[in-house]
Amino acid sequence: MPKPLRLVVDTNIIVSGLITKGTPPAKVLDAVHTKKITLLISDEVLTEYLRVLEYPHIRKYKKITDEAIGHLTALFINETERVEVLTEITKSPDPDDNKFLSLAVDGQADYLITGDKADLLSLKEISGIKIITAKQAMEKLKL
């Protein structure tokens, strides 16, 4: 069996995957649960995931419950690969996105998955790591 692909997943994919089941972002999250992919995570990215999930405009969705956030937190802690990020990349037009680029490079990711057309997807790749949408990831990963 081939080893799972190593992925960095932008926060917008995490939130979309929780809100709408059956969508490409939800299938990416499911692939982490079933160990079809290895989700790479850093302390900074984990902090962002959890911070964004507490935003009132995100919490208004019925699927974003304390229980759902608890399950997701357990997933992030127990079923991901923690990466110590040492490289500082500043290529994104949005400085807040650079943490995902740095994580992808230091974690030797196969792909960075995002829905951010203006900033991350426009870069197309970083250090040979392709930046793709969740839909493209489904096709590449056969999810």
Side-chain angles (χ1 to χ4, degrees):
M1 186 167 148
K3 69 177 185 135
L5 290 177
R6 302 166 61 77
L7 304 177
V8 171
V9 178
D10 192 359
T11 310
N12 58 57
I13 300 297
I14 300 293
V15 173
S16 296
L18 275 177
I19 292 172
T20 314
K21 297 297 178 201
T23 61
K27 290 182 180 184
V28 169
L29 282 180
D30 290 343
V32 176
H33 278 293
T34 59
K35 309 243 187 274
K36 290 181 182 173
I37 64 172
T38 298
L39 179 64
L40 303 174
I41 200 164
S42 66
D43 290 341
E44 190 176 13
V45 167
L46 175 60
T47 299
E48 174 166 320
Y49 287 168
L50 298 176
R51 180 177 47 82
V52 169
L53 288 169
E54 291 298 332
Y55 287 168
H57 69 279
I58 300 295
R59 290 299 297 255
K60 73 178 183 181
Y61 292 95
K62 290 182 171 95
K63 292 184 180 174
I64 310 289
T65 63
D66 289 342
E67 184 179 0
I69 291 173
H71 286 299
L72 200 58
T73 301
L75 172 83
F76 294 149
I77 291 170
N78 299 317
E79 298 183 39
T80 62
E81 182 179 320
R82 281 305 250 290
V83 175
E84 182 180 1
V85 175
L86 303 172
T87 304
E88 185 178 342
I89 295 179
T90 57
K91 300 252 186 227
S92 176
D94 179 355
D96 286 339
D97 289 335
N98 286 321
K99 67 180 137 298
F100 296 101
L101 298 172
S102 297
L103 174 58
V105 169
D106 283 356
Q108 300 175 347
D110 294 302
Y111 297 101
L112 190 163
I113 302 174
T114 184
D116 185 344
K117 292 182 177 107
D119 299 318
L120 290 175
L121 285 169
S122 66
L123 295 174
K124 295 189 172 64
E125 70 174 53
I126 184 77
S127 297
I129 301 162
K130 300 260 187 251
I131 301 171
I132 62 175
T133 65
K135 185 176 180 185
Q136 289 170 316
M138 281 183 50
E139 294 163 2
K140 290 183 181 300
L141 304 172
K142 298 176 179 55
L143 301 177

